[in-house]
Amino acid sequence: MDNVELFERLGLAIAIGAAVGVERHWRERDEPEGGRTAGIRTFTLFGMAGGVAGLLERSFGVASSYSGITLTGFLIAIALVMAIFEMREAIAEKTYSVTSVVAAILTFGLGALAALGDMALASAGGAALVTILASREFLHQAIRRLTWVELRSAVILLAMTFVLRPILPDTPVGPFGGVSPKSIVMLAIMLASISFAGYVAVRMFGSTRGDVLAGAIGGLVSSTGTTVAFARRSASGEDGTTLSAGAISASAVSLLRTALLVATLAQTLLPVLLWPLVAGAAVLALYALILARSHQSTGGEVAPGNPFELAAVAKMALLLTCVAFLARAATQQFGGAGLIFASALSALADVDAATVTVASLLPSLQPGVAAQAVGVAALTNMAAKAVYGSVFGCARFSWHLWGATALSAAAALGAWALGSVV
């Protein structure tokens, strides 16, 4: 390692300490000189101490059988000194907080990481540390507003994601490619996450803006899952107008995502499909925007209900899994001759699968047939979401969804016909 890199690593360690010190000093900026345990200078020195300890460890630890002694000694000394002074401050002010002690230890550790390990990881860790420290008021307020239902839903979602999913087998079971138990749980997690994200967005931004924002975000993951989740919420008594605006915005994002997939995986189809997809997405986005702007609240916001019900989420996941299974079976039975029909069946669950499949077969397909398959899949997916909205949602939700779907389909078909004539 040359001298330039050594200076860079030590400079990063000092910068991490200074960044943490700015936040710590700002929080106690009204204290008189000598009235705070540690400020910008002290935390800068903590970061520098970590960097120096790391460089010493790098110099002596390689040739010694007692590697780690230097770092351990520095860390114990800093932790003891910081703990003593923090305890004296806590006794004087009658407070109970160990945040500054932990921040000092982490600052030293990140400084050592900058000297010994990955500099990018040390930079990211420093940024994360400052962000957490600066978010005290926001986090405390969020915890005060947190209800038991929200906490329980978050715990269930985390357990499904990090406990249940890893232990399930990934090997498909059954004919026609089978069904993977892990894929069913992943679909349930996706649906639950969309519902929870929508709940959080409504709590933060209100029902009108929250539902539209949550729908647009959900459309990046699965517009079909978002539509089903919003339909269930409308049937439970929540505002069908704002929820339909969210579902429509999810469909708009889905069409734009399909255009991006085509541009990435099947560039030869882009001249044919770009304008129909963009036209359909524009109509949907405009419809959702008009709904959101014209909606007038009547007597205050309705408090959202349970972030998600596990039984209902599991049923929806099983339903969509069955639809996807039937689509794969039809694809294998009909083969290339039934590509358009198979794409339509696949789109009952998700349009991405049909798009990716057509793109993979493109070298052996005529561009016209491939474009028709993707177009039919997009239209079928829009119609399927409208049907799901009618089955699982309230009448107002269904009416708006069908209206937006019809207008969007007309715009897309018009753009397709205009492109064919030109």
Side-chain angles (χ1 to χ4, degrees):
M1 183 182 300
D2 56 22
N3 290 334
V4 174
E5 184 176 352
L6 291 176
F7 278 112
E8 289 178 350
R9 290 181 176 275
L10 184 59
L12 177 58
I14 295 173
I16 292 172
V20 177
V22 167
E23 192 281 333
R24 293 284 86 189
H25 198 118
W26 179 87
R27 193 166 295 281
E28 298 182 358
R29 61 191 181 279
D30 295 330
E31 295 291 332
E33 190 69 24
R36 68 182 68 86
T37 299
I40 183 172
R41 291 183 302 169
T42 305
F43 273 94
T44 302
L45 293 175
F46 285 159
M48 185 175 183
V52 170
L55 293 179
L56 289 175
E57 184 69 32
R58 180 185 292 272
S59 299
F60 304 135
V62 174
S64 173
S65 60
Y66 301 100
S67 61
I69 294 296
T70 304
L71 282 175
T72 303
F74 268 84
L75 179 59
I76 292 175
I78 288 177
L80 283 177
V81 171
M82 188 65 186
I84 291 172
F85 277 88
E86 188 69 17
M87 182 178 64
R88 292 182 59 189
E89 182 179 8
I91 293 174
E93 298 182 358
K94 297 182 179 180
T95 59
Y96 300 90
S97 176
V98 74
T99 302
S100 293
V101 177
V102 177
I105 295 173
L106 287 174
T107 302
F108 174 85
L110 290 171
L113 177 62
L116 288 172
D118 191 334
M119 296 177 65
L121 183 60
S123 299
L129 176 58
V130 174
T131 301
I132 294 172
L133 292 173
S135 303
R136 185 184 72 174
E137 285 75 14
F138 172 78
L139 294 174
H140 287 186
Q141 184 179 5
I143 292 297
R144 283 194 294 268
R145 296 181 59 187
L146 186 66
T147 65
W148 164 243
V149 173
E150 296 165 359
L151 179 61
R152 181 190 63 187
S153 299
V155 170
I156 292 175
L157 184 58
L158 290 174
M160 291 172 60
T161 304
F162 298 105
V163 178
L164 180 60
R165 183 188 61 83
I167 65 176
L168 289 175
D170 197 18
T171 304
V173 179
F176 303 109
V179 175
S180 170
K182 183 173 289 188
S183 66
I184 299 177
V185 173
M186 282 297 298
L187 187 56
I189 292 173
M190 181 193 68
L191 292 172
S193 300
I194 291 171
S195 297
F196 195 79
Y199 177 90
V200 172
V202 170
R203 284 287 304 269
M204 293 181 63
F205 303 104
S207 61
T208 302
R209 290 181 297 172
D211 286 334
V212 174
L213 177 62
I217 295 174
L220 295 172
V221 182
S222 171
S223 61
T224 306
T226 303
T227 302
V228 171
F230 280 23
R232 286 180 46 250
R233 287 175 54 193
S234 71
S236 66
E238 297 187 43
D239 195 330
T241 302
T242 60
L243 288 169
S244 62
I248 293 168
S249 66
S251 294
V253 172
S254 175
L255 289 181
L256 294 177
R257 188 182 63 190
T258 301
L260 181 61
L261 283 176
V262 171
T264 304
L265 303 176
Q267 294 88 348
T268 56
L269 304 182
L270 193 60
V272 181
L273 293 174
L274 177 61
W275 291 116
L277 291 173
V278 170
V283 170
L284 290 172
L286 181 62
Y287 197 108
L289 181 62
I290 293 174
L291 276 183
R293 286 186 173 274
S294 63
H295 178 67
Q296 299 293 331
S297 178
T298 57
E301 296 285 350
V302 178
N306 194 334
F308 61 84
E309 299 175 7
L310 190 57
V313 167
K315 291 178 182 178
M316 292 304 100
L318 289 174
L319 173 63
L320 294 179
T321 300
C322 290
V323 171
F325 174 77
L326 293 176
R328 287 198 304 272
T331 302
Q332 292 191 20
Q333 288 295 315
F334 291 105
L339 176 63
I340 295 178
F341 181 63
S343 297
L345 287 178
S346 299
L348 294 176
D350 187 11
V351 70
D352 288 351
T355 305
V356 173
T357 301
V358 170
S360 65
L361 298 175
L362 189 58
S364 60
L365 289 176
Q366 295 181 356
V369 175
Q372 290 178 16
V374 175
V376 168
L379 292 174
T380 302
N381 184 253
M382 293 171 59
K385 287 181 289 192
V387 172
Y388 297 151
S390 300
V391 173
F392 301 110
C394 67
R396 179 176 297 179
F397 181 93
S398 173
W399 188 87
H400 282 301
L401 200 59
W402 275 109
T405 299
L407 292 175
S408 176
L413 291 173
W416 179 289
L418 183 61
S420 300
V421 171
V422 175

